[in-house]
Amino acid sequence: MSPANRRTADPSVIAAIHHPLRRRLIDLLGVNGPSTASRLAEATGELVGNVSHHLKVLAAAGVIVEAPELARTRRERWWRSAKASYSWSIADAGGDPAAELVAETAEEANLTHHTTKVRQWFGLRSEYDEPWVRAAVATESWVTVTPERLEELGARLSALIQEYVDEPSEGEGAHPVFVFAHAVPARP
């Protein structure tokens, strides 16, 4: 039931994804499409050499791929998102303390990334028309499930979101929207 492009991430991929600049580069390539290190440096305010280094790390992890067909010269290098989503569990570390540390650090970075996007929205929503303000959603529920049903819920949510990834809205009124969900055992 998981989307076809979902990959289980090993510690090296998790570490590659969850560096702050690399996460931003992934977002820029995913939302804006293919780009060069120079253009990404301009968008991030980073030095070209620094961006180039981080692009190579992401490429080595398989998160992004080269797009040589876009190059106008032999020196120009274009990059695009590999369009894969990743999942991991600390349980995948199999008791390896180093892998557990990478997974724990990535979980914290992921949560920070998610909350940062919501806080950005709070600061920017006055720049959007009323239909966008009304359409923005936050939802929460308590459900009682087994681990199997929680896994099913996650797969169904991922599949639903993937439909919107695969068939993006087009036209003047379409804007990138950050969607995330967490479903974790908790106590009131």
Side-chain angles (χ1 to χ4, degrees):
M1 195 171 223
S2 291
N5 70 339
R6 180 169 301 282
R7 298 184 346 190
T8 299
D10 64 41
S12 65
V13 173
I14 295 169
I17 292 170
H18 289 290
H19 179 279
L21 177 56
R22 290 193 287 263
R23 182 66 183 252
R24 183 141 186 240
L25 295 172
I26 293 166
D27 285 351
L28 286 167
L29 291 170
V31 172
N32 298 337
S35 190
T36 64
S38 297
R39 290 176 184 205
L40 291 167
E42 186 177 318
T44 61
E46 296 286 335
L47 297 173
V48 175
N50 189 32
V51 169
S52 182
H53 163 74
H54 288 291
L55 290 170
K56 289 174 186 172
V57 171
L58 290 170
V63 178
I64 65 170
V65 294
E66 273 197 78
E69 70 279 5
L70 298 175
R72 293 180 300 247
T73 68
R74 289 199 297 187
R75 287 183 34 98
E76 190 175 61
R77 290 180 84 178
W78 283 77
W79 300 94
R80 72 167 36 103
S81 169
K83 300 273 187 207
S85 62
Y86 297 89
S87 64
W88 73 91
S89 168
I90 198 163
D92 296 337
D96 175 3
E100 285 179 358
L101 180 60
V102 168
E104 286 174 2
T105 303
E107 286 175 333
E108 287 294 329
N110 214 28
L111 182 58
T112 298
H113 181 74
H114 295 169
T115 58
T116 298
K117 293 296 181 203
V118 173
R119 286 190 176 103
Q120 283 175 351
W121 163 247
F122 293 163
L124 294 174
R125 68 179 151 206
S126 64
E127 299 175 17
Y128 286 79
D129 294 334
E130 184 179 341
W132 279 107
V133 175
R134 288 191 183 281
V137 63
T139 185
E140 64 183 65
S141 297
W142 285 96
V143 298
T144 303
V145 294
T146 62
E148 295 79 18
R149 290 205 57 218
L150 181 57
E151 191 172 343
E152 174 191 341
L153 174 62
R156 290 176 67 190
L157 287 170
S158 294
L160 177 61
I161 293 167
Q162 190 62 42
E163 288 179 29
Y164 288 85
V165 170
D166 293 341
E167 298 176 26
S169 298
E170 295 181 8
E172 191 176 309
H175 290 281
V177 173
F178 183 71
V179 180
F180 69 96
H182 288 266
V184 296
R187 296 184 178 117

